[in-house]
């Protein structure tokens, strides 16, 4: 578990000496094995918070606990090799092959060569890159989405219990982003890492976050499940930030199949179980019905989805 | 090659100009090797001092030091070669030492400035990732910064070596030998062919050195 206690980062204006708090009195626990989305408007201190966890930025106050350790008690390099880090600009090493990039941390940790090689292949396969095809390529030969996959593989290479991600899917077009988000959710289902994921994309936070920590101007506004934030905002700031269509955004992250239940589907308009619930709602409005038939991958009707089921999303 | 080319060249130039070419005290191939030796020794010293210098001044928080280094090396190139040699002779005497000092000072400029440019060109996200992966400063330098700046640095080394092949001819005036010898002999004996041979050999040496270093860079990639 990662715990932040009264964390603070102050910058003093070099000219006026005026203090500016990028992060102020931030106390927060990131639960083990879950994704916590660190959400907030631009400049609210998300990146600063993330980079204080692996000490790329030194806090000016407060404490960070990683497991039992105080982050300050570890050598920064030691700490960083135990914490995976995916940076926003991807930052692959351009002169090294994909395999060498992924091997970075295991090599720093002095793993034997054969173990590193096996691990690299395993990880490339995990992130959906055929090892034989991609291991020898240079980063410049990859698409943005493929590069980001390598970035994720590199961060996971030494099997760190904790993963820090700064807008990992930010640089991608919507289609590639959706695909990578799905892939990432599947990977996490097996790995159960403790993940802190910075994002300013509300949809992404609601879709991927088991928990969401919403920040505003350096301080925590609300911490809870996506449902908490959407249905039980603690302040006007939270409500406004998520927007009046917050519920629709949440529906967009849920496949219709997950909300469907058994029922009489006779004569109802059909939708695929993979269609997201927001689109299902749109179909209801278009067809002027309040119940839809949901079909499985073979096209067989597997259940029904009603207006009232959407509330369970 | 080194033995063959001077011989061929002498014959050709002699026939073209219709002048008899006197034999020098030292054979041309030996002068060529001497010349190459001077340049290489200077270049090694340039690398041993220039690369660490570029590294030191590009570490974070040393912007002032970096500007100073660039200013001083830049200044080095504006002082005429002859002036440096003239100033060095009273201290170091005649022969190889003052010539090497001159070659070192001239060779240092492109290596340091290209070294700095190459290191500064490594982009921030790459460095950030290296730090985030847990590399120490030394590991980051060796694994990321130096390999990435190598092409720019090597361009500086080529420039430096090629310049110095030319500069080293002046050494003959101080009794250092090298390909300046036929040039100076030719001038004093009013034998143009001899001057041309010295100049041509120096030019050939510069070109082959440039070519070899170019091949080395390409092999590296
Ligand atoms: N080195 C610094 N000196 C002074 N102020 C800084 C420094 N680094 C960051 N800040 C300020 O701290 C605040 C928080 O920055 P941070 O990068 O954490 O924001 P963010 O939430 O990640 O924003 P974004 O979504 O745009 O990436 C910003 O107002 C920024 O200008
Ligand atoms: Mg940021």
């Amino acid at each position: 578990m990662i715990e932040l206690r009264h964390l603070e980062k102050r910058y003093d204006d070099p000219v006026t000496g005026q203090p500016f708090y990028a992060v102020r009195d931030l106390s927060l626990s990131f639960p083990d094995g879950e994704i916590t989305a660190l959400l907030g408007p631009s400049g609210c201190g998300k990146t600063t918070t993330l980079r204080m966890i692996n000490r790329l930025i030194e806090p000016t106050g407060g404490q960070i606990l990683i497991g039992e350790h105080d982050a300050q008690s570890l050598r920064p390099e030691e700490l960083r090799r135990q914490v995976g880090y995916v940076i926003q600009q991807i930052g692959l090493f351009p002169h090294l092959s994909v395999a060498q990039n992924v091997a970075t941390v295991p090599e720093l940790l002095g793993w034997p060569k054969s173990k590193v090689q096996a691990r690299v292949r395993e990880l490339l396969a995990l992130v959906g890159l055929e090892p034989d095809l991609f291991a020898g390529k240079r980063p410049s030969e990859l698409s943005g989405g493929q590069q980001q996959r390598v970035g994720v593989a590199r961060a996971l290479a030494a099997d760190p219990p904790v993963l820090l991600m700064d807008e990992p899917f930010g640089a991608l077009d919507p289609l590639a982003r959706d695909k990578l988000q799905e892939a990432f959710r599947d990977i996490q289902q097996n790995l159960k890492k403790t993940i802190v994921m910075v994002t300013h994309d509300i949809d992404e936070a609601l879709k991927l976050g088991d928990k969401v920590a919403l920040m505003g101007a350096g301080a925590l506004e609300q911490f809870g499940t996506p449902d908490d934030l959407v249905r039980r905002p603690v302040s006007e700031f939270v409500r406004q930030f998520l927007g009046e269509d917050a519920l629709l955004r949440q529906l967009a992250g849920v496949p219709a199949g997950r909300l469907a239940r058994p029922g009489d589907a006779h004569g109802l308009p059909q939708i695929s179980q993979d269609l997201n619930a927001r689109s299902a709602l749109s179909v209801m409005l278009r067809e002027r019905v309040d119940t839809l038939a949901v079909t499985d991958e073979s096209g067989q009707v597997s259940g029904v989805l009603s207006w009232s089921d959407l509330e369970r999303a | 090659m080194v033995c063959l080319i001077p011989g061929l060249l002498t014959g050709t130039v002699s026939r073209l100009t219709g002048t008899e070419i006197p034999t020098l005290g030292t054979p041309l191939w030996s002068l060529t090797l001497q010349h190459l030796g001077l340049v290489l020794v200077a270049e090694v010293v340039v690398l041993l001092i220039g690369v660490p210098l570029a590294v030191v001044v590009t570490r974070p928080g040393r912007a002032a030091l970096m500007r100073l280094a660039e200013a001083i090396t830049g200044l080095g190139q504006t002082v005429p070669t002859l002036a440096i040699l003239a100033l060095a002779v009273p201290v170091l005497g005649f022969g190889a030492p003052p010539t090497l000092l001159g070659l070192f000072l001239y060779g240092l400029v492109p290596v340091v400035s290209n070294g700095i440019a190459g290191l500064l060109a490594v982009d921030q996200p790459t460095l950030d990732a290296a730090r985030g992966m847990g590399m120490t400063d030394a590991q980051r330098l060796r694994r990321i910064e130096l390999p990435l700046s190598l092409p720019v640095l090597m361009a500086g080394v080529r420039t430096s070596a090629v310049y110095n092949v030319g500069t080293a001819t002046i050494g003959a005036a101080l009794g250092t030998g090298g390909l300046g010898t036929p040039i100076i002999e030719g001038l004093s004996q009013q034998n143009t062919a001899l001057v041309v041979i010295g100049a041509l050999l120096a030019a050939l040496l510069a070109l082959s050195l440039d070519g070899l270093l170019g091949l080395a860079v390409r092999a590296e990639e």
Side-chain angles (χ1 to χ4, degrees):
Chain A
M1 172 138 83
I2 309 175
E3 195 180 341
L4 315 180
R5 290 187 184 161
H6 307 291
L7 196 63
E8 175 197 289
K9 180 64 192 181
R10 194 188 69 226
Y11 291 107
D12 292 325
D13 190 297
V15 184
T16 61
Q18 276 252 317
F20 166 78
Y21 292 90
V23 174
R24 186 168 209 173
D25 195 23
L26 180 64
S27 295
L28 185 57
S29 291
F30 299 100
D32 279 346
E34 294 191 358
I35 301 179
T36 303
L38 205 52
L39 178 67
S42 186
C44 72
K46 306 179 296 288
T47 298
T48 307
T49 303
L50 193 78
R51 289 164 69 87
M52 282 195 279
I53 296 174
N54 65 1
R55 292 185 61 190
L56 286 171
I57 296 178
E58 292 291 351
T60 51
Q63 201 182 20
I64 297 172
L65 297 174
I66 298 180
E68 275 93 79
H69 300 284
D70 186 326
Q72 289 297 321
S73 70
L74 298 166
R75 223 161 48 88
E77 287 83 21
E78 219 69 64
L79 170 71
R80 290 177 201 141
R81 289 171 198 177
Q82 293 167 32
V83 175
Y85 182 43
V86 182
I87 74 169
Q88 180 172 5
Q89 308 91 331
I90 310 179
L92 297 182
F93 307 130
H95 60 304
L96 300 179
S97 70
V98 164
Q100 287 169 316
N101 266 282
V102 176
T104 305
V105 182
E107 273 176 2
L108 290 174
L109 291 171
W111 288 18
K113 258 211 167 70
S114 57
K115 190 177 164 197
V116 174
Q117 259 170 11
R119 181 67 182 157
V120 166
R121 295 185 65 84
E122 182 187 342
L123 276 162
L124 287 179
L126 180 73
V127 298
L129 298 174
E130 174 60 43
D132 290 324
L133 211 62
F134 287 95
K137 291 201 176 182
R138 290 287 168 95
S140 58
E141 299 173 84
L142 306 181
S143 73
Q146 290 166 341
Q147 288 184 21
Q148 197 55 279
R149 283 168 197 262
V150 176
V152 172
R154 182 175 64 172
L156 287 170
D159 204 14
V162 175
L163 200 58
L164 308 178
M165 313 177 90
D166 198 346
E167 312 221 8
F169 314 118
L172 306 176
D173 63 82
L175 219 68
R177 183 184 320 165
D178 266 0
K179 251 176 87 182
L180 204 50
Q181 283 171 340
E182 298 294 339
F184 182 70
R185 194 156 57 178
D186 292 345
I187 292 171
Q188 164 66 357
Q189 221 134 57
N190 296 322
L191 298 185
K192 297 258 177 284
K193 301 285 179 193
T194 305
I195 298 177
V196 183
M197 188 178 73
V198 165
T199 178
H200 62 241
D201 178 349
I202 300 168
D203 298 314
E204 184 169 85
L206 296 177
K207 181 173 171 190
L208 293 181
D210 298 302
K211 299 284 184 331
V212 177
L214 177 57
M215 289 179 71
L220 184 67
E221 291 285 339
Q222 184 169 359
F223 177 83
T225 61
D227 222 43
D228 289 336
L229 271 85
V230 169
R231 293 171 199 255
R232 292 172 289 281
V234 296
S235 66
E236 189 54 25
F237 175 87
V238 178
R239 206 176 60 76
Q240 285 213 344
F241 184 79
L242 293 179
E244 294 297 355
D245 57 351
L247 262 170
L248 288 179
R249 290 167 179 279
Q250 200 187 6
L251 286 178
V254 183
R258 209 193 295 167
L259 300 172
R261 56 186 168 78
D264 179 16
H266 188 72
L268 297 175
Q270 297 190 351
I271 56 166
S272 149
Q273 60 178 9
D274 297 328
L275 196 71
N276 73 56
R278 180 170 69 179
S279 304
L281 176 62
S282 170
V283 174
M284 287 181 193
L285 293 172
R286 188 185 71 208
E287 303 289 335
R288 298 170 184 273
V289 294
D290 62 4
T291 308
L292 298 170
V294 179
T295 60
D296 60 19
E297 57 263 28
S298 60
Q300 295 290 341
V301 173
S302 60
V304 295
L305 178 73
S306 293
W307 173 263
S308 56
D309 296 320
L310 295 176
E311 282 181 16
R312 293 187 286 115
Chain B
M1 272 275 281
V2 182
C3 310
L4 213 72
I5 289 180
L8 282 176
L9 210 63
T10 321
T12 319
V13 173
S14 158
R15 230 168 298 134
L16 281 177
T17 54
T19 8
E20 193 60 29
I21 305 226
T23 20
L24 297 164
T26 324
L28 277 174
W29 64 265
S30 160
L31 287 176
T32 309
L33 281 182
Q34 223 173 38
H35 199 92
L36 184 64
L38 273 174
V39 172
L40 289 184
V41 168
E43 209 54 43
V44 167
V45 181
V46 161
L47 283 176
L48 286 179
I49 292 180
V51 174
L53 193 64
V55 168
V56 167
V57 301
T58 49
R59 298 307 89 190
R62 300 205 181 132
L65 199 61
M66 188 175 79
R67 278 195 297 275
L68 185 72
E70 281 179 324
I72 291 178
T73 47
L75 199 69
Q77 208 158 38
T78 61
V79 181
T81 323
L82 266 176
I84 287 185
L85 296 183
L87 288 172
V89 167
V91 184
L92 298 172
F94 279 92
T99 310
L100 282 174
L101 179 71
L103 293 182
F104 165 70
L105 289 178
Y106 275 87
L108 197 60
V109 180
V111 169
V112 170
S113 59
N114 276 43
I116 290 176
L119 287 167
L120 289 184
V122 179
D123 78 342
Q124 207 50 50
T126 307
L127 294 176
D128 207 49
R131 221 153 71 88
M133 297 295 118
M135 289 191 196
T136 61
D137 290 352
Q139 286 168 332
R140 198 170 74 234
L141 181 66
R142 205 182 63 72
R143 293 168 179 244
I144 308 296
E145 293 183 79
L146 287 178
L148 281 176
S149 58
L150 194 67
V152 182
L153 177 74
M154 283 309 289
V157 173
R158 279 168 82 174
T159 311
S160 158
V162 169
Y163 270 18
N164 269 345
V165 170
T167 310
T169 51
I170 295 181
L174 307 179
T176 321
L179 291 172
T181 312
I183 297 177
I184 287 181
E185 291 278 316
L187 284 176
S188 65
Q189 297 173 19
Q190 298 191 346
N191 185 327
T192 319
L194 209 49
V195 176
V196 170
I197 283 173
L200 276 179
L201 281 177
L204 272 178
L205 189 61
L207 282 177
S208 17
L209 213 52
D210 191 45
L212 275 176
L213 285 169
L215 281 181
V217 173
R218 223 157 307 140
E220 186 64 40
E221 284 159 4

